[in-house]
Amino acid sequence: MSKKVLVISTSPRKGGNSDALADQFIRGAQEAGNQVEKVSLYEKTIGFCRGCLTCQSTQHCVIQDDANTIVQTMLSADVIVWATPIYYYGMCGQMKTMLDRSNPLFSADYQFRDIYLLAAAAENEKHTVQGAVTGLQGWIDCFERARLAGTVFAGGVTSVGEIQGHSALTQAYQMGKHV
Ligand SMILES: Cc1cc2nc3c(=O)[nH]c(=O)nc-3n(C[C@H](O)[C@H](O)[C@H](O)COP(=O)(O)O)c2cc1C
């Protein structure tokens, strides 16, 4: 069955390493017949959550910016894929900001079930991605019907384009195919 897949590329670097993972995931998911939408945060204006909690009663954020449109797309997606660079052993600030801004979904009838994480980092150790996994899991734990369905980690890549030929690209493609 065709699924609505939303891929959120959060790196500030256009065409960077995690963005390349996102594109491979998309290629796989599209080939498998799914309906895929990609959102790149580097071209969006997204302010920090103000913590007012107005969204708990209104299901809308008081800030008028691009996050609102993204949250509406998240609401009706079956699958959400987060692509992030590792910054200080965690997800990048852009991704965390977007997770916080998705708080209007907390009390909404969201559709998403499977959540994926795609991450790239300079270091190539197992623990390098762990902080990002834990951070995303913390968000997922607040959405009972959702689960972390898979993680792809590309370690040992620093500059834009360095990921070329990395086995994680194939893993991301395969994960997309079986979404
Ligand atoms: C602010 C900042 C913090 C970073 N922190 C880490 C880190 O803790 N561990 C690591 O292995 N790489 C770290 N890096 C390197 C990036 O993860 C690496 O360059 C990655 O390939 C960037 O992915 P992107 O091209 O998708 O933006 C950091 C880079 C920046 C700019």
Side-chain angles (χ1 to χ4, degrees):
M1 203 184 70
S2 172
K3 291 181 181 170
K4 268 173 86 173
V5 180
L6 173 63
V7 179
I8 305 178
S9 183
T10 69
S11 174
R13 295 205 302 194
K14 186 177 182 170
N17 297 315
S18 57
D19 202 29
L21 291 174
D23 288 343
Q24 287 308 305
F25 191 103
I26 289 167
R27 192 166 68 87
Q30 282 176 335
E31 279 182 22
N34 298 291
Q35 189 193 323
V36 186
E37 183 173 340
K38 181 183 181 187
V39 171
S40 299
L41 298 193
Y42 55 74
E43 58 191 16
K44 304 292 181 193
T45 302
I46 297 171
F48 295 123
C49 171
R50 293 181 190 157
C52 67
L53 293 177
T54 301
C55 61
Q56 304 272 73
S57 45
T58 65
Q59 266 142 47
H60 290 288
C61 185
V62 296
I63 307 170
Q64 297 300 321
D65 64 11
D66 293 331
N68 297 324
T69 315
I70 298 170
V71 165
Q72 284 313 304
T73 314
M74 288 173 73
L75 177 69
S76 60
D78 298 306
V79 175
I80 300 177
V81 184
W82 295 94
T84 182
I86 296 298
Y87 282 1
Y88 295 105
Y89 297 100
M91 66 184 76
C92 68
Q94 288 82 349
M95 176 170 160
K96 182 64 169 72
T97 300
M98 192 58 232
L99 289 178
D100 293 346
R101 288 293 306 282
S102 72
N103 201 54
L105 295 174
F106 183 68
S107 50
D109 187 19
Y110 60 89
Q111 176 65 32
F112 54 83
R113 300 291 181 269
D114 286 350
I115 310 293
Y116 292 88
L117 176 67
L118 311 174
E123 204 183 57
N124 193 19
E125 301 294 334
K126 253 192 177 160
H127 72 263
T128 310
V129 72
Q130 202 46 54
V133 173
T134 304
L136 179 58
Q137 187 64 59
W139 180 78
I140 293 169
D141 286 347
C142 298
F143 294 94
E144 279 184 358
R145 302 194 293 275
R147 64 170 187 135
L148 183 60
T151 299
V152 172
F153 172 57
V157 294
T158 303
S159 310
V160 170
E162 224 179 304
I163 198 167
Q164 230 176 335
H166 198 295
S167 59
L169 290 172
T170 314
Q171 286 171 35
Y173 167 72
Q174 289 297 342
M175 205 169 262
K177 266 206 117 138
H178 297 100
V179 85

